[in-house]
Amino acid sequence: MADPALVHVPIETHLGEFLAGFSDDGLAELNFPHRHPPQPTIIDNHKSLSSVKRCLLQILSGEHPKQFPKMDLSVGTEFQQAVWLEMLKIPMGQTLTYGEIADNLNNRGAVRAVGMACGANPIPVIIPCHR
């Protein structure tokens, strides 16, 4: 069942309909087309929708977003949040290994944990699991 604290707004793209989930603190999840949560609370609009849609469409077009929307990453642990914020720093067209991300976080032994954090990413595409 979908998180009742989130409201969801559909975002049409050339790849299909993404579903953005918003908390009071910002974008909290982004669901791929055909991977929507069961029974989401759907509304037509949200105050942050335009910035999320603009960012998503820029990324899907191969452009680096000029600005990221406000995001609520509170679903993750402190470590996961640090990994997700580090992944936002990866330039378009470049990649980092899990080990390099762990090094950037000054935690070389956390390579597997970085991989797990990537898998738990609630806002894929905008926070890339892989660039």
Side-chain angles (χ1 to χ4, degrees):
M1 188 140 132
D3 183 341
L6 299 181
V7 294
H8 293 84
V9 182
I11 300 175
E12 283 296 331
T13 74
H14 65 282
L15 297 177
E17 182 183 88
F18 284 76
L19 194 62
F22 293 94
S23 72
D24 291 339
D25 295 322
L27 179 65
E29 68 180 28
L30 186 63
N31 296 283
F32 286 107
H34 310 292
R35 303 245 175 146
H36 298 175
Q39 302 176 356
T41 301
I42 297 179
I43 61 174
D44 292 334
N45 206 339
H46 186 274
K47 62 184 178 183
S48 300
L49 179 61
S50 63
S51 66
V52 172
K53 185 173 183 174
R54 182 174 38 255
C55 183
L56 178 61
L57 292 175
Q58 286 172 337
I59 291 169
L60 293 177
S61 296
E63 301 171 35
H64 185 75
K66 293 169 183 52
Q67 184 175 0
F68 288 99
K70 183 178 178 189
M71 292 182 258
D72 176 1
L73 301 177
S74 63
V75 68
T77 65
E78 187 175 316
F79 178 79
Q80 287 173 323
Q81 291 177 41
V83 170
W84 299 334
L85 292 173
E86 191 64 30
M87 290 174 6
L88 279 171
K89 297 176 187 177
I90 302 170
M92 294 287 288
Q94 294 185 21
T95 60
L96 289 181
T97 65
Y98 295 154
E100 290 168 325
I101 294 171
D103 284 344
N104 290 349
L105 296 172
N106 296 314
N107 195 347
R108 182 61 178 154
V111 175
R112 286 185 154 187
V114 167
M116 295 296 290
C118 288
N121 176 2
I123 307 175
V125 180
I126 292 177
I127 299 176
C129 290
H130 302 87
R131 284 244 199 227

